[in-house]
Amino acid sequence: MHAQPLRVLTLLVRHGTEKYPTAWQDLRAMFARQMPDVEHRMLVIDNSLPVGHGSDLDRGVELIGGSNEDWEFSAWDCGINHTGAKLHQYDLVHLATSAFAASAPDHLKLIDGGSLRSLLGLQGALGCIDSRREPFSIFGIRSQAWLRSSFILMNPRQLSSLGSLVSVGRDTPIFTGNPRQPFRDDAPISRAYQQSLLHWLTGDGAGEGVIWHSRFDLTPETLPFFESKARAILNELMLTNRLLANGYALVDMTWLAQKVRAGSTESENVIPDWRVQISSRARVRRTLIQKLRRWLSKHMPRQ
């Protein structure tokens, strides 16, 4: 007797098609290639289209307009509201952005139907765990690790427990309106993390730490964009914090894929600390390097 196929709904956010013109096609192809046993539907929410717009892009792929007020988070709210009670007809809901494969896409190659079925038995949300070397504080919550918002899977009950995915709105008292000192003295963000945000978005690459690929100078003209981007980053962090507060753990894609492929049965529903999970990535890299070296030694002529 065959098991019922998993039903997955993707809520994919984009802002037009200039930057990632084939995002929804690429994502659907990934599901077909790596998860052929999954019954997959997609709702594309385009923040460049007005709320209320609706059309079909293809069979099983619907397009609606979305609110760009809080980037992907307000757009996901539009998608959730549009789907309504039908959300609970799916086994898993997949939150994604059109940039889902733009940064370190290797972990996406590991995900398959076995990973998704395994996720159903876990009290957690699946994605790529990012972290900082030192913990920081936002809104009185100590944070150090979070799920990258470009690709997250969870069950509908988990998603519904969050309510709106916008945790940090325009009226949250964070910014001064002054590009020389953009954060309020009483902003609910630790000073160290304020400096980290500034360096990440507007740094010149000097000193410690990396900078954003689309860095910019902070001026009166770019200040609204800085505030908007900083809020999006805070919303990403708070999405994780709210999942944790509701009793759901972070599940790293690489760790889960390794667990499933190893056929692990011991403590099957136990999710280890995020530090343990991300340590598995080093083993994956070592394995890939070993395979590459074996291939080169076999196929490349010796000098």
Side-chain angles (χ1 to χ4, degrees), residues 14-36:
R14 73 183 189 189
H15 193 281
T17 57
E18 182 177 347
K19 195 166 185 182
Y20 302 104
T22 62
W24 73 262
Q25 295 97 324
D26 295 341
L27 187 53
R28 190 163 73 159
M30 174 188 155
F31 267 82
R33 182 175 63 253
Q34 298 174 210
M35 295 160 274

Side-chain angles (χ1 to χ4, degrees), residues 110-279:
L110 300 173
I111 194 169
D112 58 17
S115 297
L116 299 192
R117 288 194 178 278
S118 182
L119 179 63
L120 293 180
L122 300 175
Q123 284 290 100
L126 179 68
C128 180
I129 296 178
D130 282 338
S131 64
R132 283 175 54 86
R133 186 175 302 172
E134 299 294 332
F136 55 94
S137 173
I138 58 172
F139 301 95
I141 303 169
R142 182 181 170 90
S143 301
Q144 192 172 0
W146 60 94
L147 289 176
R148 195 177 295 171
S149 64
S150 58
F151 197 102
I152 299 176
L153 283 141
M154 67 183 80
N155 67 52
R157 185 180 66 258
Q158 288 173 304
L159 185 60
S160 295
S161 75
L162 297 171
S164 172
L165 298 186
V166 178
S167 307
V168 185
R170 292 176 183 266
D171 57 348
T172 307
I174 296 175
F175 304 111
T176 64
N178 178 3
R180 295 186 178 182
Q181 187 180 348
F183 293 100
R184 292 169 49 137
D185 289 337
D186 60 350
I189 308 168
S190 60
R191 291 295 175 89
Y193 194 64
Q194 292 178 24
Q195 292 304 310
S196 177
L197 277 173
L198 273 169
H199 179 77
W200 169 249
L201 296 175
T202 68
D204 58 7
E208 294 185 7
V210 295
I211 60 174
W212 189 35
H213 55 77
S214 301
R215 66 143 320 267
F216 54 92
D217 294 325
L218 189 53
T219 66
E221 291 73 28
T222 62
L223 182 62
F225 180 76
F226 170 82
E227 293 179 356
S228 183
K229 177 62 178 175
R231 281 202 320 274
I233 293 172
L234 294 172
N235 271 312
E236 179 180 55
L237 299 175
M238 287 303 297
L239 176 58
T240 284
N241 286 337
R242 291 169 63 198
L243 282 167
L244 293 172
N246 287 351
Y248 301 113
L250 308 186
V251 182
D252 187 70
M253 285 184 198
T254 302
W255 170 80
L256 185 60
Q258 283 191 313
K259 179 178 183 293
V260 171
R261 292 178 185 187
S264 176
T265 56
E266 289 187 23
S267 304
E268 201 158 310
N269 295 327
V270 175
I271 305 172
D273 181 79
W274 63 268
R275 297 170 185 83
V276 175
Q277 293 187 58
I278 64 175
S279 67

